[in-house]
Structure formats: C-alpha cells, structure tokens
Amino acid sequence: MRRIPLPFHHAVTLPFDLTRRRLVGAALAAVFGLALAIFLMLELLSYGAAGIFNQVAASQDLLRGHVRVEKLFAHINGHVRFEGLVWTDDAGSPVLIVPEGEFYVKPWDVLTGHLSAHSLTSISLTDAAVSLHIRNDPQTKKPVIDFVTPSTEFFQMMAAQPPAKKIKGPQLTPEERKERAERARAAREAQMAREWSNFNHTGKRIDCDLTLHHAKVEIAYEKRHYLLQGANMNADLHSDGLTTIDLTTGGFGGTMIGHGVSTKGTIDCRSASVPEVNLSILASEVDPSSLGFGMDIHDPMTLTAHFTGPITGPAGTGEVRMAELHIPGLAFTDVKGTVSYHGSTLDFTDVTAGVYGGSLVAEGTYDLDSRVYHLEGHGENLQAAKALPGQHLKCSVTLDIAIDSQGSPQQTVTSGTFVSGPGSYHILFFDKLSGRFTDRFHDLQFYDADIELAGAHVKTDTFRIKNKKLTLAPVYVYDENGQLLMVYNKDDKILPET
C-alpha cells in the first residue's frame, strides 16, 4: 500500500494584507482601550470633581487666599461647570462670589497635571460679585489689577440697600481740596499695597475669553470709584497681546451716578512699554449732581467719549447732551456740546442750548478730582414772558453768565449781566432794562438795575433775596435830563426830592 505524505512539515505563509489588518486592528483596539480607560478615569474623577478642584485650588498660586466650590461637574473635553464658588483672602474676607459659572481648561494640562493660568481658555460667570482695584505701577508704568474685599457701598448695592448719607464736612479751598485728595490717594495706595497679594499674575501669561452675565462690579482707580450693576461683558484677554472688551451695564453709582454705561474697544499690550487703549464709552442718564457741580441738578445727561493713548493717561473727545437743564433762574433745553478729556480735566466747548425762546452758547472746564469748575456763556433773544410766566413782563433779553464753583454748593457763584430791548410791565412801557446779578447759595442779588422809560430812568443799587427774605435798596427816579425826581425806600414810602 502506497503512503501519501502529509504536508504538516511545511511552513504556512499568510498573505501580507491579512497580517497588516490584524496589526492595525490590534493597534486600534489598544488605542480604543486606552481612550476608554482615560474616559472612564475622567468620568470617575468628575464625580469627585469638587473635592479635586478644592485640592488643586489649595496648591495653585495665581489666586492667593482660599478658593472653594460647593458643586462642580467636569467633562472629558475640558468643560467644567460649577456652583457656589467663593474666593476669600487670608483673613477670610470675601474677594469673589460666583453663584454659578463655567470654564474650559486644556485636557492635556489636566492629564499631565501642569495646570497654569494659560491652561484656562474661557471663563463664564453668572451673577458674580467682584471688586477690582487698579493702579499704575510706578516702575513699569503699566496698570496693575487686583481683586480685593468689596467696600461697604458695594455690599449695600449687593443687598439692594440705599447708600448711607454722606456727612457734610467743612468748606475747603481748592488748594485744601487738592491736598486732601492727594492724602486720600496716598492712603489708598498704602492700603492697596497691603492688599496687593490676592491676584499673583506676575510672570503668568493669560490668554482667555471672559464672559460676565448680570454681574455686580466695583472698580477703584486712583480717585475714581464706580459701582456697576447688571454688568454683561465679553472680553478676549491677552496679557501680551491685543485685548478686546465689550461691556454694558445697568445702573451705576459711586463717583458718577447714572442708568447705564457701555464700553467697547481694545487694550494693546503687544509693543509699547505702556499699553495703548482705544475705547468708546457711552454713559446714559448721568445725574449731574453726582459729579459735584455744586448745584442741586438732577436733569439726566448723556456723555459719549472716545479714548486713545497710553492707559496711564489717555486723551478723549466726545459729546454731552441734555434734553433739559434747570439751574437757579434759568431753564435750558436741547443742551449739546463737545467735551475733551485729559487726566482729570474736562473741557467743554461749542455748547449750545435753547433758553426761554432764545439761544445760548457756552464753554468751560471741570476738574474731576477737585470738582472745581468754571463755565461761561452768552444768551440772545431770551423772552422774559417765558422766564417769568404770569408776571406781565414782556421783552427780549441778552445775557452774559458765568458759573464758578470751588467744589461744593456753598462755594458756587453764578454771576452775569443782562440788557433788554423795548418792552412792557403791565401798562408800563420801557425802552430798556439792564443790570448785573450774582447768585451764591440762597443769596440772589441784582446790582446797578436801570429801567429806561420814555422821558425817565428808574435805578436801584441792590435788589436782594437771601434765605427767602427780600431786601430792597432805595429806588431812584430821574427825568430825561438826569434830574432826581423821587426816591422809593424800603418802607414803601415815596419821598419827593427837596
């Protein structure tokens, strides 16, 4: 019987394509297994994310003090949501309160444990309460920002409480006011230097999108102090590049009180030793009395401005508008003009307004720090019947007016001269009224009053209303040749000249 050899002793050769497919499959299986392991690890970590976050927060040095959250939910793609974040300083005082928010962090930095300020790519905060102090570094000339404990006024705003009434201090000269402002500035700088340890940004690069939803923000910069409600902001922050800002707010208080402000523009840190700003600002329904104009003026004012230049001292130009403006003795309509800003000084030019059927042109300067200002204007064709309704005085008036303030109502003086055209008072017709006037804190005086009648002159040196009490100097009546005819004294007696 013949044997048939079996080929068991021959090597088996598999096709190359089959080998490659198996290797690729194995590699894919390994990658999938690794990805699954990482995913499961991150999912497991997300369940205890709040505890892990609090541990990481305790070891980071960007935000000094203590940062803790109540709840935190992390996703594999680096998206983190949180609730109840509170940042306190070393003394336990609150620095930042965020009821809820979210941020994105680079997943690789999480896996490797190399978390830094640059790991954050975006932050969104809802209903946050934050207090910022800004100062200019005396050496680098660059602005330095820190987060600090909110002021009492800020806590009152957060609790929807009215601010405490300010106690009036002694009247000061402009020099004393500036000296006091400088002392306050030095004290604030010293306090800020002590507090300047909450935000350790030195040497840390920040490239992050920041979004605020309905936040309450306090900003202190030099002698300015602002309280912003309902703030919504989108900002693309780059510590060494071009930062863009788009901010709108609800009501605001502090140095200036109003119903809303919007800011849009850029801060360029790419090349210049001092960052350059390019910002447009609109402040609506500003209360003029909050700026310290020295009078009880609450007619809403709209301010617009465009600022450019170094952030330590930008220059700005813009416009001021008021539908109405009421000051003692005058009521203006459709007020508008040009305003330029540099440092603490505002210069108003080309101001025009309607007043009692006539028109006014004015200009002036205002210092935000000392609140000292000077305004002067010229009015034409003012109608006395509109200024004094029901008094039966009819004539047109030309007016020159000046307002000088040393920073308080008690130190504000309005003065000027006036002259009228022909007119009438009841059945008395006259050719001209003229005189001078001053108004200083409940003390209105007219000087050198002269009424030209047909064939006569009526003159008086002083007509005064002080604290609602009338004082009238003798009234002299002259004929057309200058001969004194009679004197009307304060006791309502007519004394014929003897």
Side-chain angles (χ1 to χ4, degrees), residues 26-44:
L28 289 176
V31 171
F32 177 77
L34 179 61
L36 180 61
I38 294 174
F39 177 80
L40 291 175
M41 179 185 69
L42 291 177
E43 282 296 308
L44 289 173

Side-chain angles (χ1 to χ4, degrees), residues 42 64 75 243 271 311-312 328 344 348 360 370 432 457 464:
L42 291 177
R64 292 175 176 167
H75 193 270
T243 291
S271 57
I311 197 171
T312 52
S344 64
F348 297 92
L360 177 87
S370 66
K432 185 176 72 171
H457 273 269
R464 184 175 188 179

